[in-house]
Amino acid sequence: MYQFISESSIYQYFGEDDPDMIREMIQIILDTNIHDLEELPHFYQEKDFLTIKKRCHKAKPSMSYIGAVKTRKLLEEIEENLETSQYLNEQLQSHLIGIKRELGDFLETVSK
């Protein structure tokens, strides 16, 4: 059903018995990690590779929590090849669009 996230991973990490907590955790990931990663193009323009590395590193666990395994691997690749990772960031930005859409769809299915 989902291309980027995994419903079973979300339930595995956050449990199935507390929909409010699931919604809250997903919202935190959207507001912090996803938002931070969306700002990476600016840091590439500034050649601020330290900030890029920090933001990618910080976001990796969250990608595991939502089952975004391909995106987590992309973050690892960016960390390993910082100065030549501009093309990887373009892929990442595309992933983020899909992840945001899928998390929004997922949140609508979480029981109220």
Side-chain angles (χ1 to χ4, degrees), residues 24-37:
E24 188 176 325
M25 295 305 294
I26 297 291
Q27 196 59 54
I28 289 169
I29 290 170
L30 285 166
D31 293 345
T32 58
N33 300 115
I34 302 294
H35 179 263
D36 285 352
L37 293 174

Side-chain angles (χ1 to χ4, degrees), residues 10 14 24 33 69 77:
I10 293 170
F14 301 127
E24 188 176 325
N33 300 115
V69 178
E77 283 185 61

Side-chain angles (χ1 to χ4, degrees), residues 15-110:
E16 294 184 47
D17 54 345
D18 191 349
D20 289 334
M21 201 249 327
I22 292 171
R23 278 195 292 280
E24 188 176 325
M25 295 305 294
I26 297 291
Q27 196 59 54
I28 289 169
I29 290 170
L30 285 166
D31 293 345
T32 58
N33 300 115
I34 302 294
H35 179 263
D36 285 352
L37 293 174
E38 288 177 321
E39 293 179 339
L40 289 184
H42 166 75
F43 296 108
Y44 274 98
Q45 282 184 326
E46 302 292 318
K47 298 195 183 320
D48 185 352
F49 298 112
L50 181 61
T51 299
I52 293 167
K53 183 177 180 83
K54 285 180 181 177
R55 288 190 178 201
C56 288
H57 187 76
K58 179 182 165 198
K60 288 190 301 187
S62 296
M63 294 304 116
S64 295
Y65 301 154
I66 62 171
V69 178
K70 291 178 191 167
T71 307
R72 182 187 166 105
K73 286 186 170 136
L74 202 49
L75 292 171
E76 290 169 358
E77 283 185 61
I78 290 171
E79 273 189 292
E80 291 170 13
N81 307 291
L82 277 172
E83 294 187 20
T84 59
S85 61
Q86 179 74 44
Y87 74 101
L88 293 170
N89 179 58
E90 292 167 12
Q91 290 177 39
L92 175 65
Q93 296 305 315
S94 174
H95 280 221
L96 296 176
I97 292 166
I99 288 170
K100 284 173 62 172
R101 183 183 63 248
E102 290 180 9
L103 286 176
D105 293 347
F106 173 78
L107 287 174
E108 289 179 14
T109 68
V110 176

